[in-house]
Amino acid sequence: MTTGDEYQLEHLISKRADAREKIHFTTVDLTKQPKDFKPHDKPLHLSWGTPNDGFFPVNSISVEIQDSPFESSLNFHHTNNSLEQLPKDLKKLDLSLEKDKKSVNIVKRGEDKSLIDIRQGFQYSMHSGMDQLNQFCKDFIERVHKPGYNEWTTTLSTGAGDGILKTMDAILNPGDVVLMEEFTFVPSLMMIRECGATGVPIKLSVNSHSEGIDLDYLTNLLENWETLKPGMNKPKALYTIPTGQNPTGLTQSVEFRKKVYALAEKYDFIIIEDDPYGYLTLPPFKKPDGVVKLDEFITVEEYLKDHVTPSYLTIDTKGRVLRIETFSKLFAPGLRIGFIVGHKRLIDVILRYAAVVTKFPSGVAQTLLQNVLYQKFGGVDGWIEWILKMRAVYIHKRNLLINELVKSTIYEKGLIDIIDPKAGMFISVVLKFPEGTDVQEKIDLLNFKFASFGVGVVPGLNMAVDKKFSIERGSFFRLTFAPLNNDEEVVEASKRFVDAVEDFFAKGLEY
Ligand SMILES: Cc1ncc(COP(=O)(O)O)c(C=O)c1O
């Protein structure tokens, strides 16, 4: 056992993770140190298998950075009405192109200790990732979601997917149980199963007033676990996507999170908070008028005070929460960099998994990310300003998409309900089938209908932990405005969706 004898939740660590031992072949047993031993002050290492940085074929990297989202597509004459006015109109934040336009230069050997140079970035490094980037992650969490206790730390991961598997491995023994939102990011279910554990779905309220998890259902399930789930271990964890939930788009308020945390305390389980979307906060839908609105640009202080929903970390006093972060949605998925925040003891356990299985995320990706974060954005607040620019575009795209839906006759006739998301990339459209409809059959038919009308959407049921359990609440589709190139595409895709549903209802729910 290494750190944190004081950790109160030792009993929740998995046997497999706790038993892992880190062995390094260059360490010397210090207990065998002779009395008069004095180490040389300038040792030369014939010990480590690290290639000298002179062998690295790359001497420098020059990175051209765009100042606002879609800027490069505008240069390529893609139309994006929403952004054409952006640079010259920005007054509230100092985001002018002139100030920010600079390339990022990454050198072989640099002096600035906050940056990662090629000599360091291309070399082997610690499993937690490089100190500079870990420090950025800590500073970011301290600024945005400061945990309610001191003994927390971070480790890098290769994206949220890796973060989920590592946190599951840290706590799950074979036969353990994880509670999950009934519609969820299904790869997480695969990871739970990878650890020999079972995912148990919790009912969601899938409607526009909901905060996601049905709290009455959850409370009753926990209170009557032995009767309702006979023979099953008590839940070891809750895996939740609390903000802009994937797939429903629902967001838990901080009051809601406090209630869930109280249940975690009472029934002694860990909360695994997977939150790739929480920073993309969205105000309520407003009819768009062609351009990104200046009033969507808020200051960093306004954003942190009134817009970001505080993480479960901020409520946590014991190290009961493991938060999974990723740069995939805000920077780029191809980086494969994310991080995990949690109690030092749990992070230490996770690092032993990294030592055996994943090592550290690509040093090249870490180098690129750290240099862009500091040279271009100037650290945490500058990074948040980039997020705010993305957010303004997301708000606009969301407005465009929902606008097409609410203008439609299917909406006017009450055949669909729309979940206007408070964060993230996903809008759920719930189809109001008549009582007694075979939902699975109609969803299957609709998949072909959408394909023939030329629009791709995800049926909620495809993301169910257990389709049988969720069939009654499964008549919705997940739509996302994120991947489309410009306003025209968003409007056209939304129209195709509406036309397909209209046609389906007009034909009596037949293809
Ligand atoms: C809820 C959720 N968790 C994790 C991930 C995976 O993220 P990453 O690309 O960082 O592995 C996704 C990606 O879509 C997601 O929606």
Side-chain angles (χ1 to χ4, degrees):
M1 204 163 293
T2 48
T3 63
D5 286 340
E6 74 285 0
Y7 186 51
Q8 293 168 34
L9 307 175
E10 284 291 332
H11 57 284
L12 294 177
I13 294 173
S14 77
K15 292 193 180 72
R16 175 192 342 92
D18 203 25
R20 267 189 206 110
E21 210 185 327
K22 236 175 14 188
I23 310 164
H24 203 283
F25 48 81
T26 61
T27 26
V28 171
D29 186 349
L30 292 175
T31 60
K32 307 215 167 114
Q33 186 174 306
K35 233 181 30 242
D36 53 352
F37 168 73
K38 187 172 167 291
H40 195 288
D41 53 3
K42 288 197 182 108
L44 288 171
H45 285 290
L46 295 173
S47 46
W48 296 334
T50 49
N52 187 288
D53 56 68
F55 291 114
F56 301 159
V58 176
N59 264 340
S60 69
I61 303 172
S62 172
V63 190
E64 283 298 322
I65 303 287
Q66 64 177 11
D67 187 56
S68 54
F70 289 101
E71 190 183 302
S72 58
S73 57
L74 287 174
N75 292 342
F76 287 116
H77 306 294
H78 271 274
T79 54
N80 190 318
N81 301 334
S82 64
L83 284 163
E84 270 158 9
Q85 297 194 349
L86 204 54
K88 53 181 180 296
D89 273 339
L90 292 175
K91 296 198 184 75
K92 200 161 182 185
L93 295 174
D94 184 14
L95 304 175
S96 72
L97 273 175
E98 297 313 313
K99 179 193 129 217
D100 286 348
K101 193 90 185 174
K102 61 178 172 195
S103 50
V104 167
N105 290 310
I106 305 172
V107 295
K108 186 78 159 245
R109 287 161 180 265
E111 297 300 320
D112 187 337
K113 296 278 179 263
S114 66
L115 301 178
I116 301 172
D117 59 18
I118 290 173
R119 173 187 49 173
Q120 187 195 6
F122 282 46
Q123 193 51 274
Y124 287 110
S125 81
M126 290 182 307
H127 299 129
S128 52
M130 276 171 237
D131 282 345
Q132 296 96 319
L133 190 49
N134 249 312
Q135 191 57 49
F136 174 86
C137 299
K138 287 191 183 96
D139 292 346
F140 184 81
I141 288 297
E142 186 93 28
R143 178 94 167 101
V144 185
H145 296 298
K146 194 173 184 326
Y149 64 100
N150 293 326
E151 300 76 29
W152 62 275
T153 190
T154 58
T155 176
L156 298 193
S157 64
T158 56
D162 177 51
I164 298 164
L165 181 59
K166 282 178 172 152
T167 55
M168 296 296 176
D169 175 85
I171 57 172
L172 297 179
N173 292 316
D176 277 346
V177 167
V178 180
L179 302 171
M180 327 174 67
E181 283 130 355
E182 63 177 321
F183 302 103
T184 190
F185 180 62
V186 270
S188 303
L189 182 60
M190 288 155 52
M191 297 178 201
I192 290 167
R193 289 178 180 159
E194 185 68 20
C195 300
T198 309
V200 167
I202 317 166
K203 234 175 174 177
L204 293 182
S205 307
V206 188
N207 63 63
S208 37
H209 312 292
S210 161
E211 298 190 42
I213 292 169
D214 181 333
L215 263 187
D216 291 339
Y217 177 87
L218 177 60
T219 308
N220 182 54
L221 180 65
L222 290 166
E223 253 167 38
N224 302 295
W225 186 264
E226 283 85 0
T227 324
L228 295 170
K229 301 282 176 194
M232 264 193 164
N233 284 352
K234 287 201 169 160
K236 193 79 166 288
L238 164 71
Y239 166 78
T240 181
I241 308 162
T243 327
Q245 203 258 352
N246 188 0
T248 59
L250 295 167
T251 293
Q252 303 165 8
S253 65
V254 71
E255 289 72 30
F256 190 93
R257 291 174 201 212
K258 284 181 184 159
K259 289 181 192 157
V260 174
Y261 187 83
L263 289 173
E265 286 270 81
K266 183 168 177 191
Y267 294 100
D268 195 23
F269 55 83
I270 298 267
I271 295 175
I272 297 174
E273 174 184 56
D274 182 15
D275 195 9
Y277 307 104
Y279 300 113
L280 296 167
T281 65
L282 306 167
F285 161 74
K286 252 193 323 204
K287 197 171 158 41
D289 60 4
V291 290
V292 173
K293 303 288 293 230
L294 262 190
D295 58 9
E296 304 304 1
F297 285 93
I298 51 178
T299 63
V300 172
E301 293 308 329
E302 284 166 345
Y303 171 70
L304 296 181
K305 191 166 144 290
D306 302 326
H307 294 260
V308 177
T309 310
S311 152
Y312 273 100
L313 285 175
T314 63
I315 306 165
D316 189 17
T317 50
K318 296 215 174 59
R320 194 177 277 290
V321 174
L322 281 164
R323 176 173 171 86
I324 295 160
E325 289 252 358
T326 179
F327 287 96
S328 288
K329 311 292 172 177
L330 304 173
F331 196 112
L335 272 183
R336 304 315 303 143
I337 297 187
F339 61 100
I340 309 169
V341 193
H343 192 282
K344 285 181 174 163
R345 169 76 175 120
L346 286 176
I347 298 294
D348 176 65
V349 165
I350 286 169
L351 281 175
R352 283 188 261 153
Y353 176 95
V356 177
V357 185
T358 58
K359 313 296 179 199
F360 51 89
S362 158
V364 179
Q366 291 189 58
T367 304
L368 179 78
L369 178 59
Q370 179 72 3
N371 278 280
V372 172
L373 288 174
Y374 278 92
Q375 287 196 44
K376 162 71 183 172
F377 297 122
V380 169
D381 277 33
W383 172 236
I384 296 174
E385 287 192 358
W386 170 259
I387 295 172
L388 289 177
K389 290 188 230 178
M390 284 183 64
R391 169 187 177 273
V393 182
Y394 273 93
I395 293 169
H396 177 69
K397 287 188 170 207
R398 186 278 317 267
N399 286 347
L400 282 176
L401 198 159
I402 292 193
N403 193 45
E404 289 306 312
L405 300 175
V406 297
K407 278 183 346 200
S408 68
T409 52
I410 47 170
Y411 184 72
E412 279 165 14
K413 287 187 198 153
L415 298 175
I416 58 169
D417 186 16
I418 303 158
I419 297 181
D420 180 17
K422 293 192 175 73
M425 316 179 158
F426 305 118
I427 297 172
S428 282
V429 179
V430 186
L431 301 195
K432 301 290 189 60
F433 293 132
E435 195 92 358
T437 301
D438 181 338
V439 173
Q440 184 68 66
E441 183 198 309
K442 298 305 167 194
I443 297 283
D444 289 342
L445 278 179
L446 267 164
N447 279 333
F448 291 103
K449 181 64 83 186
F450 290 130
S452 77
F453 274 70
V455 61
V457 292
V458 176
L461 269 181
N462 280 13
M463 300 183 74
V465 175
D466 175 351
K467 283 191 182 183
K468 237 162 76 196
F469 175 80
S470 296
I471 193 82
E472 276 174 35
R473 295 168 296 283
S475 57
F476 71 95
F477 285 86
R478 187 194 82 173
L479 280 57
T480 175
F481 39 85
L484 300 180
N485 287 311
N486 53 47
D487 293 3
E488 286 75 11
E489 283 189 8
V490 177
V491 171
E492 176 60 23
S494 327
K495 278 196 177 124
R496 290 182 192 183
F497 178 83
V498 165
D499 289 348
V501 176
E502 245 166 25
D503 188 64
F504 189 69
F505 274 99
K507 292 191 170 133
L509 305 185
E510 292 303 332
Y511 181 82

Short mmCIF file of all heavy atoms in Angstrom, two decimals, residues 158-162 164 185 188 239 241 246 274-277 324-329 333 336-338 426 478, ligand 1:
data_model
loop_
_atom_site.label_atom_id
_atom_site.label_comp_id
_atom_site.label_asym_id
_atom_site.label_seq_id
_atom_site.Cartn_x
_atom_site.Cartn_y
_atom_site.Cartn_z
N THR A 158 -5.65 8.67 -21.68
CA THR A 158 -5.74 8.84 -23.14
C THR A 158 -7.21 9.03 -23.51
O THR A 158 -7.82 8.21 -24.17
CB THR A 158 -5.13 7.64 -23.90
OG1 THR A 158 -5.77 6.45 -23.48
CG2 THR A 158 -3.66 7.50 -23.64
N GLY A 159 -7.77 10.12 -23.04
CA GLY A 159 -9.17 10.45 -23.33
C GLY A 159 -10.10 9.91 -22.25
O GLY A 159 -9.69 9.15 -21.36
N ALA A 160 -11.37 10.32 -22.36
CA ALA A 160 -12.35 9.91 -21.35
C ALA A 160 -12.56 8.39 -21.35
O ALA A 160 -12.76 7.77 -20.30
CB ALA A 160 -13.67 10.62 -21.57
N GLY A 161 -12.52 7.79 -22.54
CA GLY A 161 -12.74 6.34 -22.63
C GLY A 161 -11.75 5.60 -21.73
O GLY A 161 -12.13 4.73 -20.93
N ASP A 162 -10.50 5.96 -21.84
CA ASP A 162 -9.46 5.37 -21.01
C ASP A 162 -9.70 5.71 -19.53
O ASP A 162 -9.53 4.87 -18.64
CB ASP A 162 -8.10 5.92 -21.48
CG ASP A 162 -6.94 5.44 -20.66
OD1 ASP A 162 -6.82 4.21 -20.47
OD2 ASP A 162 -6.13 6.28 -20.21
N ILE A 164 -12.54 6.19 -18.07
CA ILE A 164 -13.65 5.38 -17.55
C ILE A 164 -13.14 3.99 -17.19
O ILE A 164 -13.39 3.48 -16.09
CB ILE A 164 -14.80 5.27 -18.59
CG1 ILE A 164 -15.38 6.65 -18.91
CG2 ILE A 164 -15.91 4.35 -18.08
CD1 ILE A 164 -16.23 6.70 -20.17
N PHE A 185 -23.74 6.31 -22.49
CA PHE A 185 -22.63 6.08 -23.40
C PHE A 185 -22.27 4.60 -23.27
O PHE A 185 -21.60 4.21 -22.32
CB PHE A 185 -21.49 7.00 -22.97
CG PHE A 185 -20.25 6.90 -23.81
CD1 PHE A 185 -20.27 7.22 -25.17
CD2 PHE A 185 -19.04 6.53 -23.24
CE1 PHE A 185 -19.10 7.15 -25.92
CE2 PHE A 185 -17.88 6.46 -23.99
CZ PHE A 185 -17.91 6.77 -25.33
N SER A 188 -19.17 2.51 -21.96
CA SER A 188 -18.90 2.40 -20.51
C SER A 188 -19.44 1.08 -19.96
O SER A 188 -18.85 0.49 -19.04
CB SER A 188 -19.54 3.56 -19.76
OG SER A 188 -19.04 4.77 -20.28
N TYR A 239 -22.34 5.45 -12.21
CA TYR A 239 -21.70 6.09 -13.35
C TYR A 239 -22.71 7.06 -13.94
O TYR A 239 -23.80 6.65 -14.35
CB TYR A 239 -21.28 5.04 -14.38
CG TYR A 239 -20.91 5.63 -15.72
CD1 TYR A 239 -19.67 6.24 -15.92
CD2 TYR A 239 -21.80 5.61 -16.79
CE1 TYR A 239 -19.32 6.80 -17.15
CE2 TYR A 239 -21.46 6.17 -18.02
CZ TYR A 239 -20.23 6.76 -18.19
OH TYR A 239 -19.91 7.32 -19.40
N ILE A 241 -23.44 10.77 -16.38
CA ILE A 241 -23.01 11.84 -17.29
C ILE A 241 -23.93 13.01 -16.93
O ILE A 241 -25.04 13.11 -17.44
CB ILE A 241 -23.20 11.41 -18.77
CG1 ILE A 241 -22.52 10.06 -19.02
CG2 ILE A 241 -22.67 12.49 -19.73
CD1 ILE A 241 -22.99 9.33 -20.27
N ASN A 246 -25.34 12.21 -22.46
CA ASN A 246 -25.33 11.46 -23.73
C ASN A 246 -26.12 10.18 -23.51
O ASN A 246 -25.72 9.37 -22.67
CB ASN A 246 -23.88 11.14 -24.11
CG ASN A 246 -23.77 10.55 -25.50
OD1 ASN A 246 -24.76 10.36 -26.18
ND2 ASN A 246 -22.54 10.23 -25.89
N ASP A 274 -18.70 11.40 -15.51
CA ASP A 274 -18.10 11.49 -16.84
C ASP A 274 -18.69 12.74 -17.49
O ASP A 274 -19.89 12.77 -17.77
CB ASP A 274 -18.48 10.21 -17.61
CG ASP A 274 -17.87 10.17 -19.00
OD1 ASP A 274 -16.96 10.96 -19.28
OD2 ASP A 274 -18.32 9.33 -19.81
N ASP A 275 -17.86 13.75 -17.71
CA ASP A 275 -18.45 15.05 -18.08
C ASP A 275 -17.74 15.71 -19.28
O ASP A 275 -17.14 16.76 -19.15
CB ASP A 275 -18.40 15.98 -16.85
CG ASP A 275 -19.28 17.19 -17.02
OD1 ASP A 275 -20.07 17.25 -17.99
OD2 ASP A 275 -19.20 18.11 -16.18
N PRO A 276 -17.88 15.09 -20.47
CA PRO A 276 -17.21 15.71 -21.62
C PRO A 276 -17.90 16.96 -22.13
O PRO A 276 -17.32 17.72 -22.89
CB PRO A 276 -17.28 14.62 -22.71
CG PRO A 276 -17.89 13.42 -22.09
CD PRO A 276 -18.56 13.84 -20.83
N TYR A 277 -19.16 17.17 -21.73
CA TYR A 277 -19.97 18.22 -22.37
C TYR A 277 -20.28 19.41 -21.47
O TYR A 277 -20.87 20.39 -21.91
CB TYR A 277 -21.30 17.60 -22.86
CG TYR A 277 -21.07 16.41 -23.73
CD1 TYR A 277 -21.27 15.11 -23.27
CD2 TYR A 277 -20.57 16.57 -25.02
CE1 TYR A 277 -21.00 14.01 -24.06
CE2 TYR A 277 -20.30 15.48 -25.82
CZ TYR A 277 -20.52 14.20 -25.33
OH TYR A 277 -20.24 13.13 -26.13
N ILE A 324 -14.12 12.39 -14.60
CA ILE A 324 -13.42 12.08 -15.85
C ILE A 324 -13.57 13.26 -16.80
O ILE A 324 -14.68 13.69 -17.09
CB ILE A 324 -13.99 10.79 -16.46
CG1 ILE A 324 -13.68 9.63 -15.52
CG2 ILE A 324 -13.42 10.54 -17.84
CD1 ILE A 324 -14.54 8.44 -15.73
N GLU A 325 -12.44 13.78 -17.22
CA GLU A 325 -12.42 14.93 -18.14
C GLU A 325 -11.77 14.50 -19.45
O GLU A 325 -11.01 13.53 -19.49
CB GLU A 325 -11.56 16.05 -17.54
CG GLU A 325 -12.17 16.74 -16.36
CD GLU A 325 -12.64 18.15 -16.69
OE1 GLU A 325 -12.45 18.61 -17.83
OE2 GLU A 325 -13.19 18.79 -15.76
N THR A 326 -12.03 15.26 -20.49
CA THR A 326 -11.39 14.96 -21.78
C THR A 326 -11.19 16.25 -22.58
O THR A 326 -11.97 17.19 -22.44
CB THR A 326 -12.22 13.97 -22.61
OG1 THR A 326 -11.55 13.74 -23.85
CG2 THR A 326 -13.64 14.46 -22.89
N PHE A 327 -10.14 16.27 -23.38
CA PHE A 327 -9.94 17.39 -24.31
C PHE A 327 -10.58 17.07 -25.67
O PHE A 327 -10.45 17.85 -26.61
CB PHE A 327 -8.44 17.68 -24.48
CG PHE A 327 -7.83 18.36 -23.27
CD1 PHE A 327 -7.18 17.63 -22.30
CD2 PHE A 327 -7.94 19.73 -23.11
CE1 PHE A 327 -6.63 18.25 -21.18
CE2 PHE A 327 -7.40 20.37 -22.00
CZ PHE A 327 -6.75 19.63 -21.03
N SER A 328 -11.24 15.91 -25.78
CA SER A 328 -11.77 15.48 -27.08
C SER A 328 -12.79 16.44 -27.67
O SER A 328 -12.79 16.69 -28.87
CB SER A 328 -12.43 14.10 -26.95
OG SER A 328 -11.45 13.12 -26.76
N LYS A 329 -13.70 16.93 -26.83
CA LYS A 329 -14.80 17.73 -27.40
C LYS A 329 -14.43 19.21 -27.50
O LYS A 329 -15.10 19.95 -28.21
CB LYS A 329 -16.07 17.58 -26.55
CG LYS A 329 -16.44 16.15 -26.22
CD LYS A 329 -16.88 15.36 -27.43
CE LYS A 329 -17.05 13.89 -27.05
NZ LYS A 329 -17.56 13.08 -28.15
N PRO A 333 -10.52 15.14 -30.65
CA PRO A 333 -10.49 13.75 -30.16
C PRO A 333 -9.19 13.03 -30.50
O PRO A 333 -8.75 12.16 -29.75
CB PRO A 333 -11.66 13.08 -30.87
CG PRO A 333 -12.48 14.17 -31.46
CD PRO A 333 -11.63 15.39 -31.59
N ARG A 336 -6.19 12.29 -28.09
CA ARG A 336 -6.28 11.22 -27.09
C ARG A 336 -5.70 11.68 -25.75
O ARG A 336 -4.82 11.02 -25.17
CB ARG A 336 -5.62 9.90 -27.55
CG ARG A 336 -6.10 9.29 -28.85
CD ARG A 336 -7.60 9.27 -29.02
NE ARG A 336 -8.31 8.57 -27.96
CZ ARG A 336 -9.50 8.99 -27.49
NH1 ARG A 336 -10.09 10.07 -27.98
NH2 ARG A 336 -10.08 8.32 -26.54
N ILE A 337 -6.18 12.77 -25.27
CA ILE A 337 -5.78 13.23 -23.93
C ILE A 337 -7.01 13.64 -23.14
O ILE A 337 -7.88 14.36 -23.63
CB ILE A 337 -4.79 14.42 -23.99
CG1 ILE A 337 -3.50 13.98 -24.68
CG2 ILE A 337 -4.47 14.92 -22.57
CD1 ILE A 337 -2.39 15.00 -24.66
N GLY A 338 -7.06 13.12 -21.93
CA GLY A 338 -8.06 13.53 -20.96
C GLY A 338 -7.38 13.50 -19.61
O GLY A 338 -6.16 13.31 -19.52
N PHE A 426 -26.26 17.49 -27.63
CA PHE A 426 -27.34 16.58 -28.01
C PHE A 426 -28.73 17.14 -27.72
O PHE A 426 -28.99 17.67 -26.64
CB PHE A 426 -27.18 15.24 -27.26
CG PHE A 426 -25.83 14.62 -27.48
CD1 PHE A 426 -24.95 14.41 -26.43
CD2 PHE A 426 -25.43 14.27 -28.76
CE1 PHE A 426 -23.70 13.86 -26.65
CE2 PHE A 426 -24.17 13.72 -29.00
CZ PHE A 426 -23.31 13.51 -27.94
N ARG A 478 -31.61 10.82 -30.80
CA ARG A 478 -30.59 11.80 -30.43
C ARG A 478 -30.11 12.50 -31.70
O ARG A 478 -29.65 11.85 -32.64
CB ARG A 478 -29.42 11.07 -29.76
CG ARG A 478 -28.38 12.00 -29.19
CD ARG A 478 -27.11 11.28 -28.83
NE ARG A 478 -26.26 11.09 -30.00
CZ ARG A 478 -25.02 10.60 -29.97
NH1 ARG A 478 -24.50 10.21 -28.81
NH2 ARG A 478 -24.32 10.46 -31.06
C1 LIG B 1 -20.23 10.44 -22.25
C2 LIG B 1 -18.96 10.17 -22.99
N1 LIG B 1 -17.91 9.69 -22.33
C3 LIG B 1 -16.76 9.43 -22.96
C4 LIG B 1 -16.60 9.66 -24.30
C5 LIG B 1 -15.29 9.31 -24.95
O1 LIG B 1 -14.45 10.43 -25.00
P1 LIG B 1 -12.93 10.33 -25.46
O2 LIG B 1 -12.90 10.62 -26.92
O3 LIG B 1 -12.24 11.40 -24.69
O4 LIG B 1 -12.43 8.97 -25.13
C6 LIG B 1 -17.68 10.16 -25.04
C7 LIG B 1 -17.54 10.39 -26.48
O5 LIG B 1 -18.44 10.55 -27.23
C8 LIG B 1 -18.89 10.42 -24.35
O6 LIG B 1 -19.97 10.88 -24.99
#
